């Protein structure tokens, strides 16, 4: 009966993962690594959100963006506190970022969306602590920070009948997340949920046809909530699934082994 219950929960979160779209899991407050030891894992996430660009040419513009991430993560624990580092690759897509119409110009043939699926490097680090309320419930504040490589894309079309190339970079982007989770532990399953605040910032740079033009961007959904579960499969092997929501629904999965 317990196995069927766990399987149903796992299947439900897998459906969420593939129907929706994360800057990577935050994870349960419970340390993944054993006390004074480490764990190693791999994760995948697909994040969807909105950014606001303060454009010098077009004013304030809002755009949907998507990001895939694949990463390896090393955790180290000491008592009820844990820190981790995460290294991986990520792509980046932004809707309607290229200029396809402009007053006084006739443009044609340019694509709309920015797309860089080259899996450029990113790195993240975080820390969290588990504060026990009783044997079953705990609170867990956490902090996570991420930095990303620059992304590039281009499109070719005509401007006033002359063939022209537009080149755009997403550069200097970083993200900081702070939150607090409530955890419930019923072996071998841990449930957790709670609010978070995030800051995602960067620049959109034009290298052609307007070299040097740079606009700041920020994520519009600064507040959100997350929920997930962790299942100890056997020994030190754990699987974790998590869904997040700010302006869009996102999700991710992570599997790890504690040495």
């Amino acid at each position: 009966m317990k196995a069927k219950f766990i399987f149903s929960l796992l299947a439900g979160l897998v459906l969420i993962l593939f129907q929706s779209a994360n800057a990577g899991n935050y994870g349960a407050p419970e340390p993944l690594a054993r006390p004074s030891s480490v764990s190693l894992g791999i994760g995948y996430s697909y994040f969807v959100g909105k950014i606001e660009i303060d454009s010098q040419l077009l004013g304030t513009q809002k755009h949907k963006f998507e990001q895939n991430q694949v990463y390896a993560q090393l955790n180290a624990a000491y008592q009820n506190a844990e820190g981790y580092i995460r290294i991986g690759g990520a792509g980046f897509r932004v809707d309607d970022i290229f200029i396809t119409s402009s007053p006084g110009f006739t443009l044609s043939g340019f694509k709309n969306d920015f797309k860089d699926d080259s899996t450029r490097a990113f790195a993240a680090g975080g820390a969290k602590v588990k504060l026990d309320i009783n044997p079953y419930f705990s609170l867990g504040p956490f902090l996570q920070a991420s930095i990303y490589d620059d992304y590039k894309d281009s499109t070719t079309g005509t401007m006033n009948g002359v063939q022209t190339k537009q080149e755009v970079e997403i550069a200097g982007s970083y993200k900081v997340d702070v939150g607090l989770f409530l955890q419930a532990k019923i072996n071998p399953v841990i449930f957790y949920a709670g609010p978070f605040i995030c800051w995602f910032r960067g620049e959109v740079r034009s290298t052609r046809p307007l070299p040097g033009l740079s606009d700041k961007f920020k994520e519009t959904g600064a507040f959100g909530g997350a929920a997930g579960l962790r299942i100890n499969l056997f020994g030190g092997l754990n699987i974790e699934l998590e869904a997040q929501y700010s302006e869009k629904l996102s999700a991710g999965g992570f599997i790890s082994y504690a040495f």
Side-chain angles (χ1 to χ4, degrees):
M1 194 70 178
K2 181 186 287 188
K4 289 183 179 179
F5 176 66
I6 293 172
F7 178 79
S8 297
L9 289 171
L10 181 59
L13 275 184
V14 168
L15 286 174
I16 291 174
L17 174 62
F18 286 99
Q19 289 177 2
S20 62
N22 173 6
N25 284 12
Y26 298 132
E30 184 93 5
L32 271 167
R34 295 186 172 102
S36 301
S37 188
V38 299
S39 72
L40 185 63
I42 55 173
Y44 168 78
S45 62
Y46 180 49
F47 181 70
V48 177
K50 289 184 179 180
I51 57 172
E52 182 178 280
I53 302 174
D54 293 325
S55 172
Q56 298 176 46
L57 295 178
L58 304 175
T60 300
Q61 302 283 317
K62 292 185 179 181
H63 303 268
K64 174 187 171 184
F65 75 93
E66 303 173 60
Q67 187 174 55
N68 290 279
Q69 293 186 0
V70 180
Y71 56 87
Q73 181 171 308
L74 177 68
N75 290 47
Y78 178 74
Q79 296 181 353
N80 284 341
E82 184 171 53
Y84 58 89
I85 55 173
R86 180 180 295 170
I87 298 174
F92 204 79
R93 302 185 186 190
V94 186
D95 289 353
D96 302 322
I97 200 171
F98 287 107
I99 299 174
T100 56
S101 64
S102 180
F105 293 91
T106 302
L107 294 93
S108 65
F110 295 105
K111 69 176 184 178
N112 295 334
D113 303 335
F114 178 98
K115 179 181 177 181
D116 187 341
D117 290 331
S118 56
T119 316
R120 298 184 183 274
F122 82 96
K128 54 188 176 180
V129 62
K130 180 174 71 101
L131 307 172
D132 291 327
I133 300 172
N134 58 41
Y136 301 101
F137 293 96
S138 306
L139 286 174
F142 66 87
L143 169 67
Q144 181 174 287
S146 308
I147 55 172
Y148 304 92
D149 197 358
D150 296 347
Y151 299 94
K152 301 177 182 179
D153 195 13
S154 63
T155 180
T156 302
T158 61
M159 181 182 295
N160 290 348
V162 178
Q163 189 174 45
T164 304
K165 187 175 184 179
Q166 293 186 48
E167 293 180 343
V168 171
E169 291 183 353
I170 306 292
S173 53
Y174 66 92
K175 191 166 192 254
V176 178
D177 307 84
V178 179
L180 178 68
F181 286 156
L182 173 65
Q183 170 184 297
K185 184 176 182 180
I186 308 170
N187 282 326
V189 183
I190 294 173
F191 303 90
Y192 60 96
F196 63 84
I197 304 172
C198 60
W199 297 267
F200 184 35
R201 301 287 189 272
E203 292 182 74
V204 179
R205 298 174 183 169
S206 172
T207 56
R208 292 179 67 177
L210 298 170
L213 183 66
S214 178
D215 300 318
K216 302 287 187 180
F217 77 79
K218 63 181 179 180
E219 187 176 0
T220 58
F223 300 92
L229 63 81
R230 179 190 299 169
I231 302 172
N232 178 247
L233 301 176
F234 58 86
L237 186 64
N238 294 277
I239 186 169
E240 196 165 69
L241 298 172
E242 182 177 299
Q244 302 176 6
Y245 186 84
S246 52
E247 287 191 322
K248 297 286 185 179
L249 185 63
S250 305
F254 184 72
I255 187 167
S256 65
Y257 184 81
F259 296 92

